[in-house]
Amino acid sequence: MKRTRFGHIRIPHQRVHIELTNVCEFNCAFCPKSVMTRPYGYMDTELARRIISELGANNICERVTFHVMGEPTLHKDFFSILRHAEKEGVKVGLTTNGARLGAEIGKGLLEHNLYQVDISLQTPDTNSFTLRKSGTLTFDRYIEGILSFFSTYHDKYKETIFTFRFLNTRFHQMGMEKNRGQVRVISSTKELRDTFKYWAGRIYDIVGVERQKRDSAIKGIDTLVSYKWNVVEIYKNIFFETYLLYEWGNAFEDEDIRNAWGGYCFGMRDHFAVLHNGDVVLCCLDFDGNTKVGNLRNSSLKEVLSSDELGKIMDGFKRFQLVHPYCRHCLGSKSLVSWFVKPAALVVGLKILEPFFHRQTKVYQ
């Protein structure tokens, strides 16, 4: 697809995140909700519609993803906003914690052919599910709802991409665990393989995969390692994905952080985000709105993305320089050695070695 410019960014981006709400019924130990200082709220419905229309009319992104913080299906006008996106011809990806898929939300979604559904399963067993602090929702009822919805939806819309996300805690995050307690989910290569085999079996039971192809897929799963960001296609348009546990830009650190002297990230390069109050931020990891470059309640997206402030930020990114103070904090370090090495490692890792650390594997043939 040919890329052009829209303000200071090159388009189309892979995605634009629209946060319909930052309210969530879960209180996960690994989520920065506990340190978020901005108010809880819901995006004005007319604002959401206007943003979607502007994104679609200008071909700004390949898809809109309802996600930053919060559970998007809690928005009272969720389906109205979804219908508007469909009317505008904008592809929609839904990122959900999955808690409501077994209820009325799941039934309502059956009337909509989404481009992608990302289910943040994260905690794949009874013990780790306690990290979600889900109130009265039990693990068994949680999983039953997710798999029941998947079975019905996938049978109706086979081209919709499903991604089941799991948390990989191979590397400890000391600042987070000091504040939130121990976070352990998938912490070794053996756990990763065992987890994927079990859940692949559940999915294969639903879609009906013959024994020979199951056995072949299991062999592919046995090649995975837990120190990478794994994206595994276990069946056509069905993926398992592991995210390495991270501290959301040093959000959980009590110690002084040395601001990064340089670095690299994908903010405003393949995505950006709009928070529920209309703030435009540089990336989807900015849970607290620290990188606000404008607000869409009184400005158009073209105006915000053409601002002098964003122009300076983007010029800095081109030279691997971090103009925004929060970017320097986000990529900063506690130790002097890490401060010195990390920026160069990010540039090399994300621009050159990304295919090695971000492993994509197809196990179903």
Side-chain angles (χ1 to χ4, degrees), residues 8 42 255 290:
H8 294 293
Y42 298 84
E255 299 179 29
N290 290 296

Side-chain angles (χ1 to χ4, degrees), residues 9 46 92 101 116 150 162 205 243 274 278 317 334 337 363:
I9 69 171
E46 288 306 313
V92 173
L101 293 180
Q116 184 166 340
F150 166 76
F162 266 87
D205 286 342
Y243 277 104
V274 184
F317 281 157
K334 288 184 292 185
V337 172
V363 299

Side-chain angles (χ1 to χ4, degrees), residues 114-233:
L114 297 170
Y115 174 77
Q116 184 166 340
V117 178
D118 294 339
I119 301 176
S120 296
L121 185 60
Q122 307 290 23
T123 50
D125 55 48
T126 304
N127 289 336
S128 59
F129 186 68
T130 60
L131 295 170
R132 308 299 288 272
K133 300 180 181 178
S134 59
T136 60
L137 180 64
T138 65
F139 177 72
D140 289 341
R141 188 154 56 92
Y142 173 63
I143 297 304
E144 180 184 350
I146 289 173
L147 293 180
S148 175
F149 167 77
F150 166 76
S151 176
T152 307
Y153 194 92
H154 179 262
D155 187 58
K156 186 173 183 179
Y157 303 112
K158 288 185 169 51
E159 296 305 310
T160 295
I161 297 168
F162 266 87
T163 301
F164 295 86
R165 294 176 170 175
F166 301 84
L167 189 63
N168 182 345
T169 59
R170 174 69 180 266
F171 301 107
H172 299 184
Q173 298 294 339
M174 300 304 182
M176 175 185 291
E177 296 198 331
K178 183 168 63 176
N179 284 279
R180 305 292 290 163
Q182 190 178 70
V183 178
R184 294 290 183 275
V185 183
I186 296 174
S187 299
S188 69
T189 291
K190 182 180 184 305
E191 284 182 77
L192 174 67
R193 294 173 179 175
D194 289 346
T195 299
F196 275 23
K197 288 175 188 177
Y198 173 78
W199 284 101
R202 298 294 300 267
I203 298 300
Y204 290 157
D205 286 342
I206 291 171
V207 299
V209 175
E210 61 189 63
R211 175 54 57 187
Q212 184 178 0
K213 290 191 174 183
R214 284 186 184 225
D215 292 343
S216 176
I218 295 304
K219 288 181 181 178
I221 290 174
D222 272 331
T223 67
L224 303 177
V225 292
S226 62
Y227 59 81
K228 295 182 180 181
W229 177 2
N230 290 286
V231 180
V232 183
E233 187 172 10

Side-chain angles (χ1 to χ4, degrees), residues 30-173:
F30 45 82
C31 176
K33 176 182 177 180
S34 63
V35 293
M36 182 173 63
T37 62
R38 60 189 174 100
Y40 289 107
Y42 298 84
M43 182 173 284
D44 177 77
T45 301
E46 288 306 313
L47 175 61
R49 289 174 178 155
R50 179 165 62 82
I51 293 169
I52 289 169
S53 294
E54 190 173 3
L55 291 171
N58 294 283
N59 192 34
I60 292 174
C61 55
E62 296 172 6
R63 68 183 183 276
V64 163
T65 298
F66 293 143
H67 175 55
V68 178
M69 293 290 286
E71 170 54 40
T73 62
L74 289 172
H75 194 289
K76 67 181 179 63
D77 291 327
F78 171 76
F79 285 111
S80 173
I81 294 168
L82 180 54
R83 285 192 296 271
H84 180 77
E86 293 169 339
K87 174 175 166 288
E88 295 291 297
V90 175
K91 293 180 180 178
V92 173
L94 169 66
T95 297
T96 174
N97 61 32
R100 311 178 84 215
L101 293 180
E104 292 304 310
I105 288 294
K107 293 177 183 177
L109 285 171
L110 292 174
E111 303 305 314
H112 300 275
N113 187 1
L114 297 170
Y115 174 77
Q116 184 166 340
V117 178
D118 294 339
I119 301 176
S120 296
L121 185 60
Q122 307 290 23
T123 50
D125 55 48
T126 304
N127 289 336
S128 59
F129 186 68
T130 60
L131 295 170
R132 308 299 288 272
K133 300 180 181 178
S134 59
T136 60
L137 180 64
T138 65
F139 177 72
D140 289 341
R141 188 154 56 92
Y142 173 63
I143 297 304
E144 180 184 350
I146 289 173
L147 293 180
S148 175
F149 167 77
F150 166 76
S151 176
T152 307
Y153 194 92
H154 179 262
D155 187 58
K156 186 173 183 179
Y157 303 112
K158 288 185 169 51
E159 296 305 310
T160 295
I161 297 168
F162 266 87
T163 301
F164 295 86
R165 294 176 170 175
F166 301 84
L167 189 63
N168 182 345
T169 59
R170 174 69 180 266
F171 301 107
H172 299 184
Q173 298 294 339

